[in-house]
Amino acid sequence: PTGSLARGLAACEASCGGERRKLFFCEVEQWDSDEPIPREDLEQGMAGAHGLLCLLSDRIDKKLLDAAGANLKVISTMSVGVDHLALDEIKKRGIRVGYTPGVLTDATAELAVSLLLTTCRRLPEAIEEVKNGGWTSWKPLWMCGHGLSQSTVGIVGLGRIGQAIARRLKPFGVQRFLYTGRQPRPQEAAEFQAEFVSTPELAAESDFIVVACSLTPATRGLCNKDFFQWMKKTAVFINISRGEVVDQDDLYQALAGGQIAAAGLDVTTPEPLPTNHPLLSLRNCVILPHIGSATHRTRNVMSVLAADNLLAGLRGEPMPSELKL
């Protein structure tokens, strides 16, 4: 049955390396580790493969596609983001692509709100004060942060995840939602009475900014020195999209110089972030290890969908979720 076959395939990080087994009509080579497959092993294992199930940590470029050869007809990625895939090269070769949008929306939106609250209310700092003896008595202004009630929230990218974030923030008493993107989305924005504005206007007027856009040539480096200079000194910046959307050197300068109040990041460049990175030295910067979709249910559903996409592609059937190239 497809379900049990999908569960077997979903354990694969890529269709190469390690254990080999026969599952109905296809043979699977599994990289049997939580750590990413070494590039050399991936290239060797791809030779002659018809399908690939990969993660966002696997860079699927021209060199790898050349190593795979003409047999490769489907790539299934266990992610909604596809910036790790050389889409132009993949399209040129007529290879189909499956991905996993929608199923991780709720988990990622929950994480975004959690990160925002953690950052704006300075929870990591407060926890550390309890542990190191800094908590001596109740003080009127000690550990004060910023609240959501009557605030303006700016969302960069009002797609599925951006809308889900706004939906969760609305009950906190947010007074005004702003959003920016490639074009206005009046139908989606109506639920929150969200206003479509320019990027400078969003940066300047928002008390909280949540970046939830896709990584594209237009958004790469979008949040840079100019962006942070437009922001209020009391504003909090959150990024749950991709690390490359943010110029991290500029973000560090903005945080260290008091140009903005705080930042929370679930994504960085590179990943993992080196433990000696300057951002990690700042008390007003909260960094998580890219755990937006990290709930047991979400990761299980993503795995099964990725496997079903791969199997459908191998059979030449419609995929449950295909990226149209």
Side-chain angles (χ1 to χ4, degrees), residues 18-265:
E19 175 187 346
R20 173 172 291 197
R21 51 187 170 155
K22 198 85 172 182
L23 291 176
F24 297 93
F25 70 93
C26 62
E27 188 176 80
V28 176
E29 291 185 43
Q30 175 179 334
W31 177 251
D32 195 14
S33 170
D34 282 342
E35 296 301 318
I37 182 170
R39 180 70 181 189
E40 185 177 340
D41 291 345
L42 180 57
E43 291 179 3
Q44 290 177 356
M46 280 301 298
H50 294 85
L52 169 67
L53 195 157
C54 65
L55 304 183
L56 56 82
S57 53
D58 300 313
R59 184 167 48 89
I60 313 304
D61 56 14
K62 183 179 184 299
K63 185 178 179 183
L64 183 68
L65 296 172
D66 287 341
N71 282 343
L72 187 64
K73 62 179 181 178
V74 57
I75 295 171
S76 178
T77 180
M78 188 178 148
S79 66
V80 61
V82 293
D83 45 281
H84 57 300
L85 307 180
L87 295 180
D88 289 343
E89 193 67 31
I90 290 169
K91 180 178 180 180
K92 187 191 305 181
R93 299 169 189 240
I95 299 170
R96 297 171 65 189
V97 174
Y99 69 138
T100 61
V103 297
L104 49 69
T105 297
D106 288 339
T108 305
E110 289 169 5
L111 189 280
V113 174
S114 300
L115 181 56
L116 191 158
L117 292 171
T118 296
T119 304
C120 73
R121 294 301 300 269
R122 303 171 63 185
L123 299 192
E125 292 179 71
I127 292 167
E128 188 58 33
E129 291 298 301
V130 173
K131 291 180 177 180
N132 66 21
W135 181 20
T136 57
S137 66
W138 188 90
K139 305 167 191 175
L141 297 180
W142 187 60
M143 293 306 306
C144 284
H146 301 276
L148 279 161
S149 180
Q150 299 183 32
S151 68
T152 296
V153 172
I155 299 176
V156 180
L158 198 66
R160 293 187 189 91
I161 293 173
Q163 292 168 53
I165 291 168
R167 196 168 292 122
R168 285 159 174 77
L169 289 177
K170 192 174 181 180
F172 283 90
V174 173
Q175 188 173 59
R176 186 183 180 207
F177 284 101
L178 308 177
Y179 75 100
T180 189
R182 285 174 293 184
Q183 59 189 15
R185 308 187 68 165
Q187 187 172 348
E188 293 83 354
E191 180 181 349
F192 323 105
Q193 289 88 50
E195 306 167 44
F196 182 74
V197 297
S198 67
T199 298
E201 186 177 352
L202 180 141
E205 297 190 17
S206 299
D207 300 300
F208 303 92
I209 293 174
V210 183
V211 181
C213 59
S214 300
L215 177 63
T216 68
T219 61
R220 190 180 299 275
L222 174 70
C223 302
N224 55 19
K225 182 179 180 180
D226 289 340
F227 187 96
F228 299 125
Q229 285 181 340
W230 294 326
M231 289 175 61
K232 300 177 182 179
K233 289 185 180 296
T234 55
V236 174
F237 176 83
I238 303 295
N239 183 22
I240 53 93
S241 59
R242 285 290 184 268
E244 292 91 338
V245 174
V246 177
D247 185 312
Q248 290 179 174
D249 292 336
D250 291 347
L251 176 60
Y252 173 80
Q253 295 299 329
L255 290 167
Q259 196 170 320
I260 64 174
L265 312 174

